[in-house]
Amino acid sequence: MTEKSNMKLFSLNSNHAIAEKIANAAGVSLCKLSSRQFSDGEIQINIEESVRGYDIYIIQSTSFPVNDHLWELLIMIDACKRASANSVNVVMPYFGYARQDRIAASREPLTAKLVANMLVKAGASRVLTLDIHAVQVQGFFDIPVDNLMTMPLFAEHYCAKGLTGDDVVVVSPKNSGVKRARQLAEYLDAPIAIIDYAEDEDGRSEAYIIGEVSGKKAILIDDILNTGRTFSEAAKIVELEGATDIFAVASHGLFADDAAKILDATAIQEILVTDSVITKEETPNNIKYVTASELIADAIVRIQERKPVSPLFAYNKG
């Protein structure tokens, strides 16, 4: 068998849409399985074709409902291993629990490490993910972890819109996102700015900007768009500081609770996210999706054909 004919792709229930796009881009078909829940919430999976000797790729974002999707993934891994699959590769466009990557206060769990342990123990051979929240989570695994970067996708979108050069500024809404902002800024040949916070004499938090945004088109950047409050506050600050236009970009659009209403009330002209997550929540009116399916499909094919994945991180500005 050729390398590609020895692989099988399966989609679990978190994001069938991106799984179908990934399969089309990779030039293969999604394989058959059934997954259902009993009345008490137990999950049952039945793989409806042989996987013996095959390299299996399971596509599943651990997004809302996070725990249901995580357990479905673990059960599917176990089913593949018990059916004598050659390898079980987990494709997680969105890696839930990655934000719990450190112990910030006494007696807190290290949940990202726990999830890593569970995936390895269940029988995963490799994890392929997209813009994981904290890159150090890769070190929690004792198996290969490939973390794909979305910056080339975003850079291509903004370059096509003409958002490049010195009249553009990439803004990190918090100081923990400086590296992410700098990566996009390098693609766009643009400067960066950082929103930071300090306490005033009365103990109140006060925001200030490091960098220049006045008279510029500001692109706010984060990895996870959850409640929308981070972008909302950042948009107010850069607007007050004189930004002429405001855009926002995030790798994963969760849009929890009232995020859509919060974001619709801002001066943000466009919110760009990937299709890593399907949300059942309302989305903002100015939402724009860029698909990560071709990037993920290319990575799967490269892994299967024993080729380097690093060329996927490059973006030709020309």
Side-chain angles (χ1 to χ4, degrees):
M1 288 189 290
T2 64
E3 296 292 356
K4 190 178 286 190
S5 66
N6 198 43
M7 65 186 283
K8 288 194 174 186
L9 265 64
F10 289 91
S11 172
L12 296 178
N13 285 321
S14 69
N15 194 339
H16 285 301
I18 196 173
E20 290 173 356
K21 292 185 216 175
I22 290 170
N24 288 336
V28 297
S29 299
L30 288 174
C31 297
K32 296 179 181 179
L33 65 83
S34 62
S35 175
R36 67 189 185 100
Q37 284 193 348
F38 295 116
S39 57
D40 64 351
E42 286 187 16
I43 298 170
Q44 183 188 52
I45 285 180
N46 180 36
I47 303 173
E48 298 178 356
E49 54 188 89
S50 175
V51 297
R52 183 180 297 273
Y54 283 88
D55 296 314
I56 305 303
Y57 293 83
I58 306 168
I59 303 169
Q60 176 84 324
S61 285
T62 48
S63 50
F64 180 85
V66 178
N67 297 326
D68 284 355
H69 288 151
L70 176 60
W71 270 106
E72 186 183 44
L73 175 58
L74 292 168
I75 293 168
M76 179 62 178
I77 295 170
D78 183 74
C80 291
K81 291 299 292 184
R82 293 180 187 278
S84 301
N86 180 58
S87 66
V88 183
N89 304 277
V90 175
V91 181
M92 301 173 75
Y94 172 69
F95 191 136
Y97 282 112
R99 285 175 284 184
Q100 299 187 46
D101 63 304
R102 65 195 184 283
I103 299 174
S106 299
R107 296 172 295 281
E108 278 191 350
L110 196 59
T111 316
K113 171 62 174 171
L114 173 62
V115 171
N117 288 345
M118 292 167 67
L119 291 169
V120 174
K121 187 65 176 178
S125 307
R126 174 187 295 269
V127 171
L128 175 65
T129 189
L130 185 73
D131 269 359
I132 197 167
H133 176 72
V135 293
Q136 61 265 29
V137 170
Q138 293 173 274
F140 293 168
F141 289 86
D142 293 323
I143 57 175
V145 178
D146 293 297
N147 180 38
L148 301 179
M149 304 297 181
T150 56
M151 290 306 158
L153 301 179
F154 299 147
E156 184 176 2
H157 174 84
Y158 288 126
C159 286
K161 291 174 70 74
L163 292 174
T164 60
D166 289 337
D167 62 339
V168 173
V169 59
V170 180
V171 182
S172 174
K174 46 196 174 184
N175 55 25
S176 60
V178 174
K179 183 177 180 181
R180 192 176 302 111
R182 184 171 288 116
Q183 287 173 340
L184 181 58
E186 287 177 354
Y187 284 122
L188 303 181
D189 291 324
I192 70 168
I194 306 161
I195 297 177
D196 204 357
Y197 295 85
E199 289 188 354
D200 61 19
E201 295 178 354
D202 298 323
R204 293 173 298 189
S205 182
E206 184 177 6
Y208 63 95
I209 294 182
I210 304 171
E212 182 62 46
V213 300
S214 179
K216 295 179 181 288
K217 299 171 184 177
I219 301 175
L220 310 175
I221 185 168
D222 207 347
D223 64 327
I224 300 173
L225 201 172
N226 190 22
T227 64
R229 292 187 178 89
T230 298
F231 276 161
S232 176
E233 290 301 315
K236 293 175 186 176
I237 294 167
V238 297
E239 185 179 22
L240 287 172
E241 291 292 326
T244 58
D245 300 280
I246 305 173
F247 302 85
V249 58
S251 304
H252 311 289
L254 306 185
F255 301 109
D257 302 328
D258 293 327
K261 293 180 181 178
I262 291 171
L263 292 166
D264 282 339
T266 69
I268 299 173
Q269 298 179 21
E270 178 189 84
I271 298 172
L272 182 66
V273 295
T274 73
D275 54 354
S276 63
V277 172
I278 288 182
T279 178
K280 294 181 179 179
E281 303 290 340
E282 183 181 354
T283 56
N285 294 325
N286 54 356
I287 190 74
K288 177 78 173 180
Y289 285 96
V290 57
T291 185
S293 57
E294 292 185 6
L295 174 64
I296 296 172
D298 285 348
I300 289 173
V301 172
R302 284 177 174 273
I303 290 167
Q304 188 64 20
E305 295 179 348
R306 280 65 171 174
K307 294 180 179 178
V309 177
S310 56
L312 300 178
F313 303 150
Y315 171 63
N316 184 0
K317 296 178 182 179

